[in-house]
Amino acid sequence: MGAKARVAVLISGTGSNMAALLYASRRADCPYEIVLVASNNPDAGGLALARAEGVATFALPHKGMKRPEHDAAMDEALREAGADYVALAGYMRILTPEFVGKWEGRMVNIHPSLLPRYKGLDTHARAIQAGDAHGGCSVHLVTAELDDGPILGQTPVAILPGDTPDTLAARVLFAEHQLYARALEELVSRPYRADWLLERVNAIALSLPEAERRESHGSPAWNTGGKGGKFFAYFNDRHHGEPHVAVLVKTSGPDELAAMVARDPDIWFRPAYYGAAGWAGLILNRPGTDWDHVAEWVERSWRAAAPRRLAGLRAAADEF
């Protein structure tokens, strides 16, 4: 996977989930490290723990500040720390859509219920009152909507006879400490996993007109134009001893390919066998892959392979 992902954690209180993430990160093969613990509460107990463990901290009270101003200051601190991801761990602030948008797909939260049930507060009391057999916790990607976003993992916790919100919360907290680190590890690792990368490329390729997924020399590939159509992309999972997981796309020829590789060797490579025909390897298993850039090149390659009737229709549609 290469360098560990750099994670900043936002807290408002004791930071027990932050501590769980921090101590999990000390495992030698953990794919992330905690680079900052930040809070809107200078007296948050978790800040003292982080400092004692040698982790940088940042605190900025939100009182007297407008929400966008406070969010902007927190965002600046996260970026100065070099954070790749943000984990909310009892951060008792509603974040502005602008702040959330800057970390889209890279900000996670843990919530003490089995989402989508019981968003918001008093989750344990609501689960008990409803007569549920289980409470639990969920880790999800953060979106502008409160306690929404794709769920990355859940752990159910049985509700026992006589449970109170406090007794249930105490057991759910154990589950949170186990679940959060696992879900975060999966999130920061998946941009390097071939199965996840293939799923992303497949969605991009199949969004194009008359695109079909087929096998080519034992590997996933995509063609267009129906029977007798041409391939416009190939998936490369470390073929021929290469270290790259990549999508192969068509360039104008070997000269353009050579120029691209010389200019951006961390993004492009000349693939064995296909390179002679001008196919370029667009590396996917690297930090900060720009998926809009990937989609642009897959579509460009599709246009080079598509029959005139399809390419013409696509061009006409783009004008509107």
Side-chain angles (χ1 to χ4, degrees), residues 242-291:
E242 295 158 345
H244 312 300
V245 179
V247 58
L248 307 188
V249 292
K250 188 72 172 173
T251 68
S252 61
D255 289 343
E256 183 183 20
L257 168 57
M260 292 160 57
V261 173
R263 183 178 63 249
D264 296 306
D266 294 331
I267 298 176
W268 299 99
F269 71 99
R270 184 183 188 278
Y273 180 69
Y274 292 94
W279 289 86
L282 178 49
I283 302 169
L284 304 174
N285 60 331
R286 56 186 170 85
T289 296
D290 182 345
W291 285 97

Side-chain angles (χ1 to χ4, degrees), residues 124 128 164-171:
H124 307 302
I128 293 170
T164 66
D166 288 342
T167 59
L168 177 57
R171 293 199 308 282

Side-chain angles (χ1 to χ4, degrees), residues 38-113:
S39 180
N40 63 314
N41 175 16
D43 298 321
L47 293 174
L49 171 61
R51 286 192 290 267
E53 292 291 350
V55 178
T57 62
F58 174 80
L60 180 66
H62 63 271
K63 292 184 179 179
M65 296 185 69
K66 294 182 179 179
R67 193 177 300 275
E69 293 174 351
H70 189 266
D71 279 3
M74 297 298 285
D75 180 71
E76 183 179 357
L78 301 178
R79 296 184 186 280
E80 287 182 354
D84 303 310
Y85 294 84
V86 178
L88 306 182
Y91 189 59
M92 305 304 291
R93 295 279 292 163
I94 296 176
L95 300 169
T96 59
E98 291 76 17
F99 181 87
V100 173
K102 292 177 181 179
W103 294 94
E104 182 179 0
R106 297 181 294 135
M107 183 185 292
V108 291
N109 181 47
I110 189 158
H111 183 74
S113 79

Side-chain angles (χ1 to χ4, degrees), residues 115-161:
L115 292 172
R117 307 188 78 172
Y118 313 126
K119 298 179 180 181
L121 302 175
D122 301 320
T123 59
H124 307 302
R126 291 156 67 191
I128 293 170
Q129 185 176 12
D132 293 351
H134 290 84
C137 53
S138 306
V139 176
H140 64 95
L141 290 174
V142 177
T143 63
E145 184 177 341
L146 180 66
D147 297 328
D148 196 36
I151 293 172
L152 302 178
Q154 293 184 312
T155 299
V157 175
I159 297 177
L160 305 179

Side-chain angles (χ1 to χ4, degrees), residues 164-184:
T164 66
D166 288 342
T167 59
L168 177 57
R171 293 199 308 282
V172 169
L173 191 60
F174 287 124
E176 290 180 27
H177 293 169
Q178 297 293 318
L179 175 65
Y180 208 175
R182 293 199 307 269
L184 182 58

